[in-house]
Amino acid sequence: TAMLDVPFLPFCAFLGTLGLLCVAMVGSWCQHWRGGFSLDGSSRTFNWHPVLMVTGLVVLYGAAALVYRIPNTWNGPKLPWKVLHGSLALGAFVLTVLGLAAVFRFHNSQGTPNMYSLHSWMGLATVLLFSCQWAAGFGAFLLPWAPAWLRALYKPIHVFFGSTILMLSVASCASGINEKLFFSLKNGTMDYKLLPAEAVFANTMGLLILTFGVLVVAALARPSWKRPDSDSPDSRQVWDVLGG
């Protein structure tokens, strides 16, 4: 059966609001319960890590993934939209690297070992895959000497790993939130198992991040929102509707 018929632009507005809510919630969590932000190597330096990771690796990356679902991209030259797609992804990558720098600086200043948890392994693997994805996409779709056959061969791979990286990002964020709560809520009256207010807030935030990721992947998978190929019947119909 067909998916629920929802216009793309209202859906996109809802998704943007949800993404901003996720960023606002992780910022509020770190400010209200985790002591705020600084660059002194303390736990307040660590607090940049979840904010930058959620903003870059989930929300901004999700926005980059949806660029080609905007109906305006179906007409006219693709180069401006390629540049926008690549720029948003690059911005997400820069924020992600800054988020990694924050957590490594915190660990090193506190004498805490790096890269020992499942969350850290999953997160670093996601970032490495993301970097490979961006470099391969830049080489295949933005550089002028990439042949058409190579772009056609790589396109489905690029699309597949785009969705995969987003879901790995969501999984990394969820495991990171859970790990932080286990480490932080150890006071006898504030144990995680007692579900204090911070735990309720952070668990809800994790569910919203998961919802955002699932909705982005659903939008990417919806056939009627995909950019038609230039030589397909669907593309010619869209071109007629747009007056081409």
Side-chain angles (χ1 to χ4, degrees):
T1 59
M3 295 175 64
L4 182 64
D5 188 16
V6 178
F8 175 77
L9 292 181
F11 175 85
C12 196
F14 169 77
L15 202 57
T17 302
L18 180 59
L20 291 176
L21 178 61
C22 292
V23 173
M25 288 186 71
V26 71
S28 298
W29 176 41
C30 293
Q31 180 66 44
H32 181 71
W33 278 288
R34 298 290 101 220
F37 303 90
S38 77
L39 298 175
D40 59 3
S42 67
S43 60
R44 293 183 300 165
T45 299
F46 171 85
N47 289 341
W48 287 108
H49 176 68
V51 172
L52 292 170
M53 290 310 210
V54 171
T55 304
L57 207 52
V58 177
V59 177
L60 197 57
Y61 184 86
L66 290 176
V67 163
Y68 290 116
R69 299 302 185 268
I70 302 173
N72 293 9
T73 67
W74 298 359
N75 185 21
K78 292 180 65 176
L79 182 59
W81 301 106
K82 288 182 179 181
V83 172
L84 177 61
H85 174 74
S87 298
L88 288 172
L90 181 60
F93 182 72
V94 170
L95 293 180
T96 299
V97 171
L98 293 175
L100 287 178
V103 71
F104 280 121
R105 178 171 182 183
F106 166 70
H107 282 177
N108 293 337
S109 67
Q110 302 296 315
T112 304
N114 292 305
M115 302 303 301
Y116 65 89
S117 67
L118 175 60
H119 163 68
S120 62
W121 289 15
M122 187 187 306
L124 187 61
T126 303
V127 174
L128 292 175
L129 188 59
F130 182 14
S131 63
C132 294
Q133 168 89 341
W134 192 92
F138 180 81
F141 301 120
L142 278 174
L143 295 183
W145 54 74
W149 67 265
L150 178 61
R151 290 196 296 268
L153 178 66
Y154 177 62
K155 181 180 177 180
I157 300 173
H158 186 76
V159 172
F160 169 78
F161 278 105
S163 298
T164 300
I165 290 168
L166 179 61
M167 295 315 298
L168 286 173
S169 302
V170 170
S172 298
C173 288
S175 64
I177 292 168
N178 198 238
E179 182 179 286
K180 183 63 176 177
L181 291 174
F182 274 117
F183 283 157
S184 301
L185 300 181
K186 296 184 293 185
N187 184 295
T189 60
M190 296 291 290
D191 282 351
Y192 191 12
K193 65 183 179 181
L194 299 178
L195 207 64
E198 180 181 356
V200 173
F201 185 90
N203 286 351
T204 303
M205 177 178 68
L207 289 176
L208 291 178
I209 292 171
L210 176 61
T211 301
F212 178 87
V214 168
L215 289 178
V216 171
V217 172
L220 293 175
R222 183 167 184 171
S224 62
W225 288 350
K226 292 183 179 180
R227 189 184 197 277
D229 294 330
S230 59
D231 58 350
S232 69
D234 288 342
S235 176
R236 291 193 289 271
Q237 292 170 8
V238 170
W239 188 260
D240 293 339
V241 170
L242 293 176

